[in-house]
Every structure is written in C-alpha cells, then in structure tokens.
Amino acid sequence: MTTTEPGLRESKKQETRQLISDCATRLFIEQGFERTTIAEIAAAARVAKKTVTNYFARKEDLALDHHEAFTQGLARAVAERGPEEVPLAALGRTFRAALLAHDPVVGFTGPEFARMVADSPTLTARLRELHDLREVALAEALTAAAPAGTPPIAPRAAAALIAASDRLLFRRIQELTLDGHGDAEIEAALLPEADHLRAMLGAAVADDPTGTPW
C-alpha cells in the first residue's frame, strides 16, 4: 500500500491542477483574462483560493499553463538530438513534427484562446517574456553543444536568429487562426514558410567564421 500512495497522491494533484486550469481557461474565454478573478476560478473549481495559488504562482500561468514545455522546447530539441545531427536540423525536424501534430506549444490554440490572449495586454506581455526565456534556454543549449574554443557570442547569436524565426512562425499560426483558418489550412501554409526560414537560417549560420556546425 505504501508503494502506491505516492503515485495516487501525485495523480490526484495532477487532476486538481488540470481542473483548475480548465476552469480558469473557460472563464478567461467567457469573461476575458483581465476581468476574471482568482476567487471566481476557485469557486468554479470548488477549491480554496490558496489551492489555486499553490498550483499556479502567477495568474498568467493559469492561461499559459504549458509555459515550461514552451520555454524549454528548443533547448530540449538540441540536447536530445542524435549524435550526428546538427542543432539546426534537430530544431527543424522538431518544429515540423509539432506543426503536423497541431501542437498548442507552437501556436495551435484555437480561435477562442488566441483571441483571449490577443485581447489581454497582460498575457501578450507574458508571452513575450516566455519567448525571451525560450531564447535564453536555447542559447545555453547551443553553448553546451559548441566545440571547445567557440567564442561565447557565437551560440548566443545563433540562438537569437533561430528564436526570431521561431517567434515569427508562432505569430503566423496565431494570425491565421484569428483570421478564421482551420488547423489543416494553417499546416499547409506553414510547411513551405518554415522550409523557407530554415533555408535562410542555414545560409546565415553557414557563414559563421568560427566554423561551428549549427
């Protein structure tokens, strides 16, 4: 019995967290992020306000609850790539898989959620912060992957270029979503655009004077 209790407790915690997140998202979409209170979310989830803040330190995290997966996504693609795969190829492969899966982490959030974020100055600002953190994590991963003797600025410059393209693709998905396009249409539009950006990035990093195979 003692071996299963920790697993049961963790499962219950995850269920409670998901319930709070789902209730918050519903209220944010119905009422707007700025107008929805923590007390209303707690009442909808039938938990105490303290329970909400224990699971979500920031109100923004209730809406953008995949923020950890988002900020670490590019870095993880670099860290977990194959032994002969260069970072840029791993990043392109990972984005393509997410695009084909219509993954919310790369921007497939649906029109109601996308509108809710676009209409909220707080969430828009938080999303910019998350993109910045995503770039920082990528720079750290590229630094760790760089050969000895690589100038410190080189992986940071590569990360800045890659992150700028990543932000552009995320915004494109959101824009097309808000314009009324379905996920399949967005996928069809983004596949060639993503390929074009990868070609541009490949040309840019190929000229790296350090010779680092990004």
Side-chain angles (χ1 to χ4, degrees):
M1 187 68 175
T2 55
T3 58
T4 60
E5 284 180 353
L8 290 172
R9 286 197 297 269
E10 185 60 31
S11 177
K12 181 61 176 176
K13 286 170 64 177
Q14 289 300 322
E15 289 176 5
T16 301
R17 188 184 192 280
Q18 189 62 54
L19 172 64
I20 294 170
S21 176
D22 291 344
C23 290
T25 299
R26 176 175 57 79
L27 290 172
F28 290 152
I29 290 173
E30 290 176 355
Q31 304 177 173
F33 177 82
E34 317 294 346
R35 291 188 297 274
T36 301
T37 68
I38 297 297
E40 289 174 319
I41 294 167
R46 297 185 178 183
V47 298
K49 284 177 61 178
K50 182 67 173 176
T51 302
V52 176
T53 55
N54 281 342
Y55 280 97
F56 299 92
R58 301 173 60 157
K59 183 181 172 184
E60 299 95 303
D61 293 342
L62 283 158
L64 305 172
D65 60 337
H66 296 293
H67 61 279
E68 292 181 0
F70 181 79
T71 56
Q72 296 301 313
L74 299 179
R76 188 172 295 115
V78 171
E80 296 177 356
R81 73 193 190 281
E84 303 300 324
E85 190 175 31
V86 298
L88 192 58
L91 289 164
R93 173 179 52 76
T94 302
F95 177 81
R96 186 180 182 87
L99 184 64
L100 295 175
H102 304 162
D103 193 332
V105 174
V106 296
F108 286 93
T109 61
E112 291 181 331
F113 192 93
R115 175 53 59 194
M116 181 263 291
V117 173
D119 287 345
S120 168
T122 303
L123 289 179
T124 301
R126 178 58 174 160
L127 192 55
R128 284 197 297 269
E129 291 175 359
L130 293 177
H131 275 290
D132 288 344
L133 292 172
R134 190 165 159 93
E135 179 181 336
V136 169
L138 174 61
E140 292 172 352
L142 291 177
T143 298
T150 300
I153 196 65
R156 292 173 62 185
L161 292 171
I162 294 165
S165 295
D166 181 70
R167 290 178 198 234
L168 178 56
L169 291 170
F170 186 94
R171 288 171 185 158
R172 282 286 290 145
I173 293 172
Q174 293 281 285
E175 289 168 0
L176 290 170
T177 298
L178 291 172
D179 285 342
H181 297 280
D183 288 352
E185 292 178 293
I186 296 171
E187 174 193 316
L190 264 289
L191 281 171
E193 293 183 359
D195 288 344
H196 183 71
L197 281 177
R198 275 198 300 276
M200 293 178 67
L201 285 171
V205 298
D207 292 332
D208 180 1
T210 68
T212 302
W214 301 118

